[in-house]
Amino acid sequence: MKAAIYLPSQDKTQWWVDMLQSLLPEMQVVALNPEDSPETVDVAVVWRPRSGDLARFPNLKAIVSIGAGIDHVLADTALPQGVPIIRTVGDDLTQRMREYVALHVLRHHRDMPRQLRAQAERDWHAIVVPVAPNRTVGVMGLGNLGAASARTLAGLGFATRGWSKSPKTIEGVTCFSGAEGLSAFLTGCDIVVNLLPLTDETKGILNADLFARLPKGACVINCARGPHLVDADLLAALDSGQIKQATLDVFHVEPLPADHAFWTHPAVTVTPHVASQIDAETGGRIIAANLRTFAETGTCADVADAQRGY
Ligand code: NDP
Ligand code: OXD
């Protein structure tokens, strides 16, 4: 089997090629080059492929997303149809997301931004916050990452809610589902964490209407995809005080353009898409195991459902 890798950042490609080749000596791993005997490539391993690139490989048996989300693959307007898309998920990646979510929820819960402002003014200002059971945190999306993050928050003592498409039961988490469950989920949520996949249904879901259904002064954490958020609606909600603080890891355009208002907004924390970053070592191990299973059986557990979009 021949696997070809494409990453937008060219300088990392060879690193990934070497890593995967060392883990898969029985396969041939190369940098994706549409000019180079396209009919010999069996699998494309990609992050944000350019539209049209994948269509040039007539014998593709699988596309591997170097990431949990497959939206960046489905965005290819010329995507070959019917080719299985394998996503990259695993314990280390889930652990990283749990850490990120816990860090930023606790930061908002204990009002660290205000505490740091007080420190800058040498102000010995003791901020009184409720205990975690009196703080309601809602996680949107209860898949691999959302369910693990909700369990982590429940373990910290937060009154934890979750929202998904189909009904779920998670110990310690009050679960809501479907469009009809969204209002009840949002009402009373002090902190909302977005871990939904980006689909036609979820695009723009973090908007003025959703913010208005939260209690005044709620906090928002978006660690899923930039287009979930209507940037202008968040800026307006921050200015009006409806939303007190936001932590944003993902953006419409990445890297976030230097002139974007989020960079300097006093109530926004920007992180550079690192909530659960895939490095070549962790990602390589997961992808190699998936490719080996796929080569042996023609499928693997992490094949996504391209029709539903995640
Ligand atoms: P999964 O596919 O495992 O789970 C998705 C969850 O979202 C499911 O619970 C699903 O419900 C729910 N969902 C989907 N559509 C809707 C909808 N219309 N209404 C309500 N709920 C919905 O995803 P993961 O947990 O693996 O990842 C989530 C996203 O996180 C990824 O798609 C990616 O965009 C982002 N991500 C970000 C990273 C970062 O570093 N910032 C790293 C990794 C991922 P149901 O269970 O009923 O199907
Ligand atoms: C992912 C990501 O989808 O890193 O895994 O965003």
Side-chain angles (χ1 to χ4, degrees):
M1 204 155 91
K2 181 167 170 182
I5 299 192
Y6 173 78
L7 292 151
S9 138
Q10 298 295 322
D11 50 328
K12 288 195 182 157
T13 304
Q14 195 53 44
W15 211 50
W16 274 84
V17 170
D18 294 343
M19 169 63 66
L20 269 183
Q21 186 63 84
S22 69
L23 292 167
L24 293 167
E26 73 276 28
M27 294 185 197
Q28 190 189 354
V29 184
V30 297
L32 188 143
N33 176 1
E35 311 307 325
D36 175 25
S37 316
E39 67 285 346
T40 63
V41 173
D42 301 294
V43 179
V45 181
V46 297
W47 176 250
R48 295 190 177 151
R50 293 165 300 198
S51 269
D53 264 4
L54 297 176
R56 302 173 79 169
F57 297 94
N59 296 320
L60 271 192
K61 296 178 184 61
I63 297 165
V64 174
S65 157
I66 308 176
I70 63 163
D71 52 292
H72 64 106
V73 177
L74 296 177
D76 180 343
T77 48
L79 186 69
Q81 296 303 296
V83 178
I85 303 172
I86 303 172
R87 64 199 201 108
T88 301
V89 292
D91 291 348
D92 289 354
L93 303 174
T94 306
Q95 174 63 28
R96 284 188 188 150
M97 187 58 85
R98 295 170 63 214
E99 292 168 12
Y100 185 93
V101 169
L103 169 69
H104 289 281
V105 166
L106 283 168
R107 196 168 152 270
H108 290 305
H109 168 58
R110 299 297 289 254
D111 210 348
M112 276 308 288
R114 189 161 150 221
Q115 196 70 79
L116 292 171
R117 282 200 302 278
Q119 179 182 348
E121 289 159 19
R122 297 165 192 249
D123 177 10
W124 187 263
H125 178 68
I127 295 167
V128 180
V129 299
V131 290
N134 292 336
R135 187 81 87 182
T136 301
V137 185
V139 180
M140 301 175 73
L142 292 173
N144 268 347
L145 302 174
S149 299
R151 282 195 190 93
T152 302
L153 296 171
L156 286 168
F158 289 103
T160 309
R161 295 178 182 179
W163 182 65
S164 53
K165 191 160 180 152
S166 58
K168 302 265 183 278
T169 306
I170 302 175
E171 198 184 335
V173 180
T174 307
C175 294
F176 300 80
S177 61
E180 65 287 359
L182 183 59
S183 261
F185 163 80
L186 293 170
T187 305
C189 263
D190 300 306
I191 303 172
V192 171
V193 180
N194 177 35
L195 274 169
L196 289 165
L198 184 66
T199 65
D200 289 345
E201 282 177 13
T202 64
K203 190 174 175 202
I205 194 165
L206 301 177
N207 58 28
D209 176 54
L210 182 143
F211 299 146
R213 292 197 249 171
L214 297 170
K216 192 168 173 72
C219 296
V220 174
I221 299 172
N222 186 18
C223 37
R225 286 291 181 261
H228 282 130
L229 176 66
V230 180
D231 291 4
D233 288 5
L234 177 63
L235 288 167
L238 288 167
D239 290 349
S240 73
Q242 177 59 22
I243 300 297
K244 183 175 166 191
Q245 291 275 334
T247 296
L248 307 175
D249 185 52
V250 286
F251 304 91
H252 285 260
V253 177
E254 296 181 4
L256 182 64
D259 61 352
H260 199 291
F262 288 154
W263 278 117
T264 50
H265 198 292
V268 176
T269 299
V270 168
T271 57
H273 202 141
V274 289
S276 175
Q277 202 173 25
I278 294 188
D279 58 287
E281 205 170 323
T282 313
R285 239 184 315 109
I286 299 167
I287 292 168
N290 277 341
L291 284 184
R292 200 163 272 142
T293 306
F294 190 85
E296 286 165 10
T297 67
T299 188
C300 75
D302 296 333
V303 172
D305 183 337
Q307 288 310 314
R308 69 176 188 178
Y310 62 97

PDB file of all heavy atoms in Angstrom, residues 162-176:
ATOM      1  N   GLY A 162     -24.740  18.459  29.247  1.00  0.00           N
ATOM      2  CA  GLY A 162     -24.223  18.162  27.921  1.00  0.00           C
ATOM      3  C   GLY A 162     -25.357  18.206  26.909  1.00  0.00           C
ATOM      4  O   GLY A 162     -26.520  17.972  27.261  1.00  0.00           O
ATOM      5  N   TRP A 163     -24.995  18.501  25.663  1.00  0.00           N
ATOM      6  CA  TRP A 163     -25.997  18.569  24.590  1.00  0.00           C
ATOM      7  C   TRP A 163     -25.460  17.827  23.371  1.00  0.00           C
ATOM      8  O   TRP A 163     -24.311  18.031  22.964  1.00  0.00           O
ATOM      9  CB  TRP A 163     -26.285  20.028  24.234  1.00  0.00           C
ATOM     10  CG  TRP A 163     -27.326  20.201  23.173  1.00  0.00           C
ATOM     11  CD1 TRP A 163     -28.643  19.870  23.250  1.00  0.00           C
ATOM     12  CD2 TRP A 163     -27.133  20.765  21.861  1.00  0.00           C
ATOM     13  NE1 TRP A 163     -29.287  20.189  22.080  1.00  0.00           N
ATOM     14  CE2 TRP A 163     -28.388  20.736  21.215  1.00  0.00           C
ATOM     15  CE3 TRP A 163     -26.039  21.290  21.186  1.00  0.00           C
ATOM     16  CZ2 TRP A 163     -28.574  21.216  19.912  1.00  0.00           C
ATOM     17  CZ3 TRP A 163     -26.198  21.761  19.887  1.00  0.00           C
ATOM     18  CH2 TRP A 163     -27.471  21.726  19.265  1.00  0.00           C
ATOM     19  N   SER A 164     -26.266  16.962  22.820  1.00  0.00           N
ATOM     20  CA  SER A 164     -25.850  16.191  21.640  1.00  0.00           C
ATOM     21  C   SER A 164     -27.037  16.054  20.699  1.00  0.00           C
ATOM     22  O   SER A 164     -28.149  16.511  20.993  1.00  0.00           O
ATOM     23  CB  SER A 164     -25.349  14.810  22.067  1.00  0.00           C
ATOM     24  OG  SER A 164     -26.328  14.175  22.864  1.00  0.00           O
ATOM     25  N   LYS A 165     -26.784  15.392  19.582  1.00  0.00           N
ATOM     26  CA  LYS A 165     -27.859  15.229  18.599  1.00  0.00           C
ATOM     27  C   LYS A 165     -28.832  14.146  19.082  1.00  0.00           C
ATOM     28  O   LYS A 165     -30.039  14.351  19.130  1.00  0.00           O
ATOM     29  CB  LYS A 165     -27.240  14.841  17.255  1.00  0.00           C
ATOM     30  CG  LYS A 165     -28.188  14.907  16.113  1.00  0.00           C
ATOM     31  CD  LYS A 165     -27.417  15.004  14.815  1.00  0.00           C
ATOM     32  CE  LYS A 165     -28.385  15.079  13.670  1.00  0.00           C
ATOM     33  NZ  LYS A 165     -27.856  15.794  12.539  1.00  0.00           N
ATOM     34  N   SER A 166     -28.286  12.998  19.454  1.00  0.00           N
ATOM     35  CA  SER A 166     -29.135  11.902  19.951  1.00  0.00           C
ATOM     36  C   SER A 166     -29.016  11.853  21.481  1.00  0.00           C
ATOM     37  O   SER A 166     -28.013  12.305  22.036  1.00  0.00           O
ATOM     38  CB  SER A 166     -28.688  10.578  19.327  1.00  0.00           C
ATOM     39  OG  SER A 166     -27.330  10.337  19.641  1.00  0.00           O
ATOM     40  N   PRO A 167     -30.034  11.290  22.162  1.00  0.00           N
ATOM     41  CA  PRO A 167     -30.010  11.281  23.632  1.00  0.00           C
ATOM     42  C   PRO A 167     -28.838  10.466  24.187  1.00  0.00           C
ATOM     43  O   PRO A 167     -28.430   9.468  23.595  1.00  0.00           O
ATOM     44  CB  PRO A 167     -31.347  10.610  23.995  1.00  0.00           C
ATOM     45  CG  PRO A 167     -32.187  10.676  22.768  1.00  0.00           C
ATOM     46  CD  PRO A 167     -31.257  10.704  21.600  1.00  0.00           C
ATOM     47  N   LYS A 168     -28.298  10.920  25.310  1.00  0.00           N
ATOM     48  CA  LYS A 168     -27.153  10.245  25.939  1.00  0.00           C
ATOM     49  C   LYS A 168     -27.408  10.108  27.440  1.00  0.00           C
ATOM     50  O   LYS A 168     -28.158  10.894  28.026  1.00  0.00           O
ATOM     51  CB  LYS A 168     -25.869  11.084  25.800  1.00  0.00           C
ATOM     52  CG  LYS A 168     -25.464  11.415  24.397  1.00  0.00           C
ATOM     53  CD  LYS A 168     -24.457  10.407  23.871  1.00  0.00           C
ATOM     54  CE  LYS A 168     -23.973  10.755  22.495  1.00  0.00           C
ATOM     55  NZ  LYS A 168     -24.842  10.363  21.402  1.00  0.00           N
ATOM     56  N   THR A 169     -26.711   9.142  28.042  1.00  0.00           N
ATOM     57  CA  THR A 169     -26.701   9.031  29.501  1.00  0.00           C
ATOM     58  C   THR A 169     -25.244   9.028  29.923  1.00  0.00           C
ATOM     59  O   THR A 169     -24.481   8.146  29.511  1.00  0.00           O
ATOM     60  CB  THR A 169     -27.362   7.708  29.952  1.00  0.00           C
ATOM     61  OG1 THR A 169     -28.660   7.638  29.354  1.00  0.00           O
ATOM     62  CG2 THR A 169     -27.494   7.640  31.456  1.00  0.00           C
ATOM     63  N   ILE A 170     -24.851  10.021  30.697  1.00  0.00           N
ATOM     64  CA  ILE A 170     -23.472  10.080  31.201  1.00  0.00           C
ATOM     65  C   ILE A 170     -23.568  10.366  32.703  1.00  0.00           C
ATOM     66  O   ILE A 170     -24.195  11.361  33.113  1.00  0.00           O
ATOM     67  CB  ILE A 170     -22.653  11.200  30.503  1.00  0.00           C
ATOM     68  CG1 ILE A 170     -22.624  10.972  28.984  1.00  0.00           C
ATOM     69  CG2 ILE A 170     -21.245  11.272  31.066  1.00  0.00           C
ATOM     70  CD1 ILE A 170     -21.942  12.084  28.197  1.00  0.00           C
ATOM     71  N   GLU A 171     -22.938   9.522  33.481  1.00  0.00           N
ATOM     72  CA  GLU A 171     -23.035   9.665  34.936  1.00  0.00           C
ATOM     73  C   GLU A 171     -22.537  11.042  35.379  1.00  0.00           C
ATOM     74  O   GLU A 171     -21.457  11.485  34.960  1.00  0.00           O
ATOM     75  CB  GLU A 171     -22.199   8.571  35.608  1.00  0.00           C
ATOM     76  CG  GLU A 171     -22.587   8.377  37.057  1.00  0.00           C
ATOM     77  CD  GLU A 171     -21.694   7.359  37.758  1.00  0.00           C
ATOM     78  OE1 GLU A 171     -21.123   6.485  37.082  1.00  0.00           O
ATOM     79  OE2 GLU A 171     -21.586   7.476  38.989  1.00  0.00           O
ATOM     80  N   GLY A 172     -23.310  11.721  36.174  1.00  0.00           N
ATOM     81  CA  GLY A 172     -22.907  13.015  36.714  1.00  0.00           C
ATOM     82  C   GLY A 172     -23.169  14.177  35.768  1.00  0.00           C
ATOM     83  O   GLY A 172     -22.858  15.328  36.087  1.00  0.00           O
ATOM     84  N   VAL A 173     -23.699  13.884  34.580  1.00  0.00           N
ATOM     85  CA  VAL A 173     -23.931  14.936  33.581  1.00  0.00           C
ATOM     86  C   VAL A 173     -25.411  14.941  33.202  1.00  0.00           C
ATOM     87  O   VAL A 173     -25.972  13.894  32.859  1.00  0.00           O
ATOM     88  CB  VAL A 173     -23.070  14.679  32.310  1.00  0.00           C
ATOM     89  CG1 VAL A 173     -23.311  15.762  31.261  1.00  0.00           C
ATOM     90  CG2 VAL A 173     -21.593  14.580  32.671  1.00  0.00           C
ATOM     91  N   THR A 174     -26.057  16.110  33.287  1.00  0.00           N
ATOM     92  CA  THR A 174     -27.453  16.206  32.855  1.00  0.00           C
ATOM     93  C   THR A 174     -27.451  16.393  31.341  1.00  0.00           C
ATOM     94  O   THR A 174     -26.890  17.375  30.834  1.00  0.00           O
ATOM     95  CB  THR A 174     -28.142  17.406  33.546  1.00  0.00           C
ATOM     96  OG1 THR A 174     -27.927  17.277  34.949  1.00  0.00           O
ATOM     97  CG2 THR A 174     -29.624  17.439  33.253  1.00  0.00           C
ATOM     98  N   CYS A 175     -28.030  15.433  30.640  1.00  0.00           N
ATOM     99  CA  CYS A 175     -27.931  15.446  29.177  1.00  0.00           C
ATOM    100  C   CYS A 175     -29.209  15.947  28.496  1.00  0.00           C
ATOM    101  O   CYS A 175     -30.316  15.609  28.914  1.00  0.00           O
ATOM    102  CB  CYS A 175     -27.605  14.037  28.683  1.00  0.00           C
ATOM    103  SG  CYS A 175     -25.977  13.486  29.210  1.00  0.00           S
ATOM    104  N   PHE A 176     -28.999  16.740  27.458  1.00  0.00           N
ATOM    105  CA  PHE A 176     -30.089  17.281  26.629  1.00  0.00           C
ATOM    106  C   PHE A 176     -29.766  16.886  25.192  1.00  0.00           C
ATOM    107  O   PHE A 176     -28.599  16.664  24.851  1.00  0.00           O
ATOM    108  CB  PHE A 176     -30.142  18.807  26.729  1.00  0.00           C
ATOM    109  CG  PHE A 176     -30.369  19.315  28.132  1.00  0.00           C
ATOM    110  CD1 PHE A 176     -29.319  19.384  29.045  1.00  0.00           C
ATOM    111  CD2 PHE A 176     -31.634  19.724  28.538  1.00  0.00           C
ATOM    112  CE1 PHE A 176     -29.530  19.846  30.331  1.00  0.00           C
ATOM    113  CE2 PHE A 176     -31.845  20.198  29.828  1.00  0.00           C
ATOM    114  CZ  PHE A 176     -30.792  20.259  30.726  1.00  0.00           C
TER     115      PHE A 176
END
